[in-house]
Amino acid sequence: MLASLAALRPRQLASQILSFALVLSTAFMLWKGLSLVTNSPSPIVVVLSGSMEPAFQRGDLLFLWNRSPDAKVGEIVVYNVEGKNIPIVHRVVRNHQGGLPYTKLLTKGDNNHADDVELYARGQFYLNREKEVIGSVVGYIPFVGYVTIMLSEHPWLKTVMLGIMGLMVVLQRE
Amino acid sequence: MTDDNKVPIYSVPDLKNATDDAIAPIFTSLGYTEDHTLTDVRLGLGFFGTAIAAITFAADYKYGFDSTKTLVTVAVALYFLVNTALTVWVWKVQGGVVYSGHNGTKKVKIASKAKKYDPTYHIEVTIQDEKKAPIVRKDDAKFMAWFDEQGHLVRKPLEAFLTQAL
């Protein structure tokens, strides 16, 4: 396999590397484009826990929209607490200060007994709509995100997949 | 290790790729110098786009979403502009050109085509001598003419096919 790579002329090799790079960069730029349109740093997220059952199951793919400045009670939002890198999908149960722009939210998982105060940063009793919420759920596809759960639970799968993808693109010309 | 020069003779894309690759050496031996401009522009556009994406990725990774919004907006627009240019270049300008070169003042450009399940090699040869109007000739032949039973490319008959189109 490597011999067949070495046999390529430099421009051919460059072409094949380019086609692989273009696949990756186009995917990334589409993601960034979507991110700009929705105004969310992460416009598509995967549900990682069962705390919102029966609305969402583990592995559901959620589409977010982050252009409305307020969040109504009953809305499902995704937020990132500073210092913790896992986005949490929970429902707004209280809107402390209805007035903009200092909207403060209280959230709770449908399937949890207690509200989310424990999950927030130390000493904080509310969510900052502007700073911490990365979007409201506007649509979802059940289950298809399960692959990413598999990948994050078994990180070596990522390396294997990326390697196979790369080799395939470089080696085949059709 | 498999024999790398061997082509599965029932696979048309493989036959076509092997033939495309064999054209340049033949023309070199006929005294032509290959002109890489078409490929180089494509590679240039492509890697320029990839570089934009890479810079965007780095900036986003380092500075986060909110502080890079303007930059990323510009980058995304530019990226898709470059990508469109690349697509137009590959489809409209480069077409199916697999060889372009010159011998003295004589310029030759060869575009090739093959239908998916039809083992016929179609070529379109454009010859331009100095300022005269370019001559375009079309020709086709079966791949069997220059591949042996094992799938090795035989140079002589391919060379004959090409020179006769010149």
Side-chain angles (χ1 to χ4, degrees), chain A residues 12-170:
Chain A
Q12 251 179 8
L13 183 63
S15 297
Q16 253 135 298
I17 292 171
L18 179 63
S19 45
F20 180 53
L22 279 177
V23 171
L24 287 183
S25 60
T26 304
F28 176 70
M29 289 313 248
L30 283 174
W31 168 258
K32 280 285 123 195
L34 186 64
S35 178
L36 289 169
V37 171
T38 58
N39 193 32
S40 168
S42 176
I44 300 173
V45 294
V46 173
V47 178
L48 298 175
S49 82
S51 65
M52 276 302 282
E53 281 178 20
F56 299 128
Q57 317 279 329
R58 248 163 82 83
D60 288 359
L61 203 68
L62 307 181
F63 298 93
L64 308 185
W65 184 256
N66 195 30
R67 289 216 173 264
S68 95
D70 205 354
K72 306 219 161 43
V73 171
E75 210 170 307
I76 299 170
V77 295
V78 179
Y79 63 91
N80 250 327
V81 174
E82 247 190 81
K84 295 179 193 169
N85 247 339
I86 303 162
I88 299 171
V89 188
H90 280 173
R91 197 184 294 276
V92 176
V93 294
R94 203 171 300 159
N95 193 327
H96 284 308
Q97 282 189 2
L100 302 171
Y102 305 106
T103 311
K104 294 172 179 176
L105 309 170
L106 179 69
T107 54
K108 176 183 171 298
D110 286 357
N111 200 25
N112 289 354
H113 292 293
D115 60 37
D116 290 352
V117 171
E118 293 247 311
L119 299 174
Y120 301 159
R122 194 173 274 273
Q124 190 180 315
F125 297 97
Y126 57 85
L127 269 186
N128 186 325
R129 166 71 187 86
E130 181 78 16
K131 278 189 187 150
E132 287 168 307
V133 174
I134 61 169
S136 309
V137 178
V138 289
Y140 82 109
I141 306 175
F143 200 68
V144 294
Y146 214 88
V147 188
T148 63
I149 294 185
M150 293 290 288
L151 287 177
S152 61
E153 278 172 8
H154 310 280
W156 57 270
L157 275 175
K158 264 187 219 170
T159 326
V160 172
M161 232 178 66
L162 209 68
I164 293 175
M165 261 171 58
L167 266 182
M168 256 162 53
V169 177
V170 172

Side-chain angles (χ1 to χ4, degrees), chain A residues 4 7, chain B residues 2-8 14 18 147-148 150-154:
Chain A
S4 72
Chain B
T2 50
D3 181 353
D4 279 328
N5 298 317
K6 231 164 81 171
V7 171
D14 281 314
F147 280 99
D148 68 10
Q150 272 96 46
H152 293 102
L153 192 141
V154 186

Side-chain angles (χ1 to χ4, degrees), chain A residues 1-4 9 11-12 14-15 17-18 21-22 25-26 28-30 32-33 35-36 39-41 173-174, chain B residues 1 13 17 21 24 36 40 42-43 46-47 50 52-53 56-57 60 65 69 72-73 75-76 79-80 83 86:
Chain A
M1 279 203 304
L2 287 176
S4 72
R9 286 171 294 156
R11 279 187 178 78
Q12 251 179 8
S15 297
I17 292 171
L18 179 63
L22 279 177
S25 60
T26 304
F28 176 70
M29 289 313 248
L30 283 174
K32 280 285 123 195
S35 178
L36 289 169
N39 193 32
S40 168
R173 282 181 65 175
E174 234 178 293
Chain B
M1 202 76 213
N17 286 334
D21 290 348
H36 292 291
D40 287 346
R42 180 170 64 83
L43 289 173
F47 281 115
T50 324
I52 295 172
T56 311
F57 182 82
D60 180 57
F65 177 71
K69 238 180 241 177
V72 173
T73 312
V76 168
Y79 179 83
F80 286 105
N83 226 329
L86 177 66

